Amino acid sequence: IYSYKKRGGSKIKLQLNLAAWLIAIVTMGVMLFGLYPDMNGNPLSRVSHILYQASSRVVWSLGLGYVIYACVTSNGGFMNRILSWSIWTPLSRLSYSAYLIHATVLMWYIYTQEKPIHYQDSTAIYMFMSNLTFSFVAAYLVSILFEIPMLGLEKFILKK
């Protein structure tokens, strides 16, 4: 695993750091939940849709970029401690494989349905959790069968 530690991180003034964290969290929240009214029968205007689609990825990236910057420069506070927990390590190693496999898992699930799905909130939560779990189990298998042996082979071939 690669890690980056910056020695003598630049300290940001407390008020500026809190303001930047607040802006980052609020903008990321707006980008995450911005279309919620539209999905619940309160359609947004055409201009609002255009602005959202044009700016959502950039604004999300800027908010996430500040979170990363704050954590790397030791200005993350308790959020840095939470994001540094060792429990995230196994998930971080599997996340790319899960990303690659997840679309296939979803397509398999959809194409194997014999009857239409009656949508309810509990059904959506169950389907989400089961598909996510299945994607990570499949990612684990791919990691064990392909990724780890290839890393061993790479170390063997490229040893110094």
Side-chain angles (χ1 to χ4, degrees):
I1 186 166
Y2 299 104
S3 64
Y4 175 77
K5 298 282 184 190
K6 182 176 178 166
R7 294 183 184 155
S10 59
K11 275 299 191 190
I12 301 173
K13 290 183 181 179
L14 181 64
Q15 293 83 7
L16 180 61
N17 191 25
L18 290 175
W21 269 99
L22 183 65
I23 290 169
I25 290 172
V26 167
T27 56
M28 290 171 67
V30 168
M31 293 304 106
L32 189 61
F33 300 110
L35 293 180
Y36 183 77
D38 192 51
M39 293 180 187
N40 283 328
N42 300 322
L44 298 174
S45 68
R46 183 178 175 100
V47 172
S48 298
H49 270 288
I50 291 170
L51 287 174
Y52 180 84
Q53 293 299 330
S55 65
S56 64
R57 287 166 178 83
V58 173
V59 172
W60 175 267
S61 300
L62 290 173
L64 188 60
Y66 181 75
V67 170
I68 293 169
Y69 174 77
C71 289
V72 166
T73 58
S74 302
N75 292 299
F78 76 93
M79 188 59 81
N80 189 25
R81 287 190 294 276
I82 292 171
L83 294 174
S84 298
W85 287 346
S86 61
I87 195 169
W88 304 122
T89 303
L91 292 176
S92 70
R93 292 183 182 170
L94 295 177
S95 62
Y96 186 65
S97 294
Y99 165 73
L100 293 175
I101 292 171
H102 191 66
T104 305
V105 168
L106 290 175
M107 297 309 282
W108 171 80
Y109 178 77
I110 290 168
Y111 289 139
T112 57
Q113 296 300 309
E114 295 180 4
K115 298 178 184 176
I117 299 169
H118 181 70
Y119 181 81
Q120 293 177 327
D121 290 341
S122 60
T123 307
I125 292 168
Y126 180 78
M127 287 184 340
F128 171 78
M129 294 304 291
S130 60
N131 286 328
L132 183 68
T133 302
F134 191 73
S135 293
F136 272 95
V137 167
Y140 178 73
L141 293 174
V142 165
S143 178
I144 286 192
L145 294 175
F146 299 106
E147 187 176 355
I148 293 173
M150 292 306 264
L151 287 174
L153 186 60
E154 180 183 347
K155 284 182 183 178
F156 177 74
I157 293 173
L158 300 176
K159 64 181 174 183
K160 293 181 181 177

